[in-house]
Amino acid sequence: MLTRRSFLQRTGAGAAALAAFTDDGPARLEAAARGVEGTSAWDVARDEQYWREIQQAFTLDRTIINLNNGGVCPSPRVVHEALKRYLDISNQAPVYHMWQVLEPNIETVRRRLAAAFGCQAEELAITRNASEALQIAQLGIELKRGDEVVTTNQDYGRMLDTWEQRVRRDGIKLTKVSFPVPPKSMDVLAERLLSAITPATKVLHFCHIANLTGQIFPVKKIADEARRRGIKTVVDGAHAFAHFPFSAADLGCDYYGTSLHKWLLAPIGTGFLYVRRENIKDLWALTPPPAARNDDIRKFEEIGTHPAANHNAIAEALAFHEGIGIERKAARLRYLRDRWAQRLAKHPKVRIHTNLDPAHSCAIGNVQIVGIPTPKVVARLWERWRIIATPIVHSEYEGLRVTPNVYTTLEEIDTFAGAMEEIAG
Ligand SMILES: Cc1ncc(COP(=O)(O)O)c(C=O)c1O
């Protein structure tokens, strides 16, 4: 009998086609990991055979080159299948299957996310995105008229809008500092924020990694000094978690919000909020819980009826992520970023706005073609090559934000670099 497998083998469709029709992704990931056991992350980053297995774990549209993984990412097939499976189960009788069978398993997700982040499970609330996570902190911290929040003028627009609303509503003061792009040292970033502190400052709000350029901040240095001065720190980690290696102990902040539909590759509509244990009881929830829950991290999850599928499928995303390993993932992302950035940096009309030192950045890079407006470059890349990149036009600089992911191929990176050279030329 002609089985599906023998059909594919006979037709020569091979491993790639098999992967598309079967659900053997996790087994292939495991086999690929066994194949590189004992090899350094640096060497694995250059092992195309290994990354081919990862590339094939996704169901992508390869007629486009998606270099905007800073926005929101596709999930690997196993994660998307888990999401759909949980939705199907929920729909049988949601009051039973969703609320009683699936929802309680959010505790497994909490425990595993906390282990990956390096905090206690009782300090981690699961949210729908980084915006919600950060807004719980931003709107829940008790502040009175005249209290000051210090942030940067390169923080995420929605997060700045959230503080601006508190300026209008509560009469707090918002100070936005500028910092050089790219900075020569991490100390410059700490110094800019810390030197803006005044006796009225109650909160520092800044990115773990800036979304505009991919600049990593020296979080611990800033958070430790803020704590010494009795100031709370809200860290926007939307782009950091599962992107490069770190743990909560390396940060030392009070509140940390991240998206999981970016670098963890979890379903769209997932994030988490970390609240340092001692801060939970004094942080007001956005959606009020019963008073008895005031000291419980779950008070931030009282959002009414919502799908259990999204947050439960985070567990599958964690398994995929851990199957690669954060060291290998970060090494590969830096390898991809450096491949285009080092090539383009040689071009006289190109300016790279990201410090390529691994301590300063990872997958994200920002590049400008001097003399051509960035939106025009973005439009040309799309029209001619079907390449997606993000235009960043800030009052102090402009450029394209380029973000590959673990599924990006070298051919895609090289097509992008060649396209940029052609446009610059
Ligand atoms: C720095 C930063 N903060 C917050 C967010 C908001 O993330 P989300 O859309 O997951 O709420 C983003 C989104 O791109 C971001 O780049």
Side-chain angles (χ1 to χ4, degrees):
M1 199 184 99
L2 191 64
T3 62
R4 183 174 50 182
R5 186 177 291 267
S6 61
F7 165 76
L8 287 168
Q9 279 162 356
R10 257 197 234 173
T11 54
L18 259 179
F21 288 101
T22 63
D23 205 3
D24 61 354
R28 293 182 61 165
L29 185 60
E30 216 181 294
R34 269 199 307 276
V36 294
E37 239 165 38
T39 312
S40 74
W42 193 92
D43 284 324
V44 178
R46 290 149 180 80
D47 180 345
E48 290 316 301
Q49 204 176 334
Y50 174 82
W51 293 100
R52 208 159 297 129
E53 291 295 316
I54 306 300
Q55 289 154 10
Q56 288 169 7
F58 292 79
T59 50
L60 305 167
D61 178 354
R62 290 274 183 200
T63 64
I64 61 169
I65 297 178
N66 182 0
L67 296 177
N68 182 11
N69 285 281
V72 63
C73 297
S75 292
R77 183 186 300 108
V78 283
V79 176
H80 198 57
E81 288 301 331
L83 173 72
K84 291 193 282 189
R85 199 165 60 243
Y86 291 140
L87 281 173
D88 287 343
I89 293 170
S90 301
N91 204 40
Q92 295 174 87
V95 288
Y96 173 70
H97 291 95
M98 188 175 80
W99 279 349
Q100 294 189 40
V101 178
L102 296 181
E103 189 61 35
N105 296 355
I106 193 173
E107 294 307 321
T108 309
V109 178
R110 188 189 318 284
R111 177 169 47 76
R112 291 189 49 200
L113 277 175
F117 183 62
C119 68
Q120 298 167 30
E122 293 304 317
E123 296 175 309
L124 191 142
I126 293 163
T127 62
R128 289 167 289 190
N129 46 52
S131 303
E132 182 179 49
L134 291 162
Q135 284 171 334
I136 292 169
Q138 293 179 274
L139 298 172
I141 296 174
E142 190 83 42
L143 290 173
K144 58 181 192 320
R145 183 165 293 275
D147 285 345
E148 182 187 40
V149 173
V150 172
T151 184
T152 80
N153 66 3
Q154 292 191 45
D155 268 79
Y156 192 62
R158 184 174 301 113
M159 288 26 270
L160 294 178
D161 290 344
T162 305
W163 287 122
E164 294 284 6
Q165 182 172 290
R166 286 204 78 168
V167 170
R168 298 196 298 278
R169 187 173 181 179
D170 302 325
I172 67 162
K173 182 173 181 244
L174 184 64
T175 301
K176 295 183 230 173
V177 302
S178 166
F179 59 88
V181 169
K184 286 207 171 55
S185 78
M186 305 283 257
D187 288 348
V188 174
L189 303 169
E191 192 263 326
R192 287 288 168 106
L193 277 159
L194 295 172
S195 65
I197 291 173
T198 71
T201 308
K202 295 291 182 292
V203 177
L204 290 187
H205 175 123
F206 56 97
C207 284
H208 187 177
I209 167 166
N211 66 300
L212 306 183
T213 57
Q215 175 65 48
I216 297 174
F217 272 62
V219 178
K220 183 113 172 78
K221 185 166 187 181
I222 301 166
D224 284 354
E225 181 57 19
R227 169 155 304 104
R228 206 182 61 75
R229 302 195 203 178
I231 296 166
K232 299 286 187 202
T233 41
V234 176
V235 176
D236 181 340
H239 282 273
F241 181 70
H243 181 173
F244 48 87
F246 68 90
S247 83
D250 302 327
L251 306 175
C253 59
D254 289 293
Y255 313 93
Y256 189 92
T258 189
S259 315
L260 299 175
H261 43 227
K262 294 189 195 288
W263 296 100
L264 188 65
L265 309 171
I268 296 164
T270 51
F272 77 68
L273 167 67
Y274 157 80
V275 183
R276 186 185 275 270
R277 191 75 194 90
E278 76 234 30
N279 292 323
I280 295 175
K281 64 177 184 332
D282 293 329
L283 185 66
W284 292 99
L286 273 185
T287 45
R293 277 203 139 178
N294 199 39
D295 201 14
D296 184 340
I297 191 74
R298 293 162 194 78
K299 75 178 181 181
F300 303 115
E301 296 170 359
E302 294 277 350
I303 56 170
T305 305
H306 59 275
N310 299 43
H311 57 60
N312 281 16
I314 293 171
E316 201 62 62
L318 276 165
F320 183 85
H321 173 72
E322 285 157 8
I324 298 177
I326 187 67
E327 299 284 350
R328 280 183 204 143
K329 182 170 174 177
R332 174 67 172 184
L333 293 172
R334 287 195 173 101
Y335 174 64
L336 294 176
R337 196 276 316 273
D338 286 349
R339 189 172 170 103
W340 67 259
Q342 285 173 358
R343 172 170 163 186
L344 291 182
K346 295 188 191 112
H347 196 286
K349 281 173 78 180
V350 167
R351 192 169 295 158
I352 307 284
H353 292 304
T354 304
N355 184 329
L356 303 184
D357 178 333
H360 279 255
S361 59
C362 191
I364 303 173
N366 184 309
V367 53
Q368 178 186 8
I369 299 182
V370 179
I372 306 182
T374 298
K376 270 199 170 167
V377 178
V378 169
R380 185 87 181 119
L381 286 171
W382 173 249
E383 284 155 16
R384 170 88 194 277
W385 290 275
R386 285 291 183 259
I387 294 172
I388 303 178
T390 321
I392 304 290
V393 181
H394 189 267
S395 58
E396 294 165 6
Y397 63 94
E398 67 172 76
L400 262 79
R401 187 186 69 185
V402 181
T403 3
N405 210 321
V406 289
Y407 60 76
T408 307
T409 65
L410 296 189
E411 190 273 334
E412 289 170 334
I413 293 286
D414 294 345
T415 301
F416 165 71
M420 288 290 281
E421 283 165 352
E422 203 173 315
I423 295 170

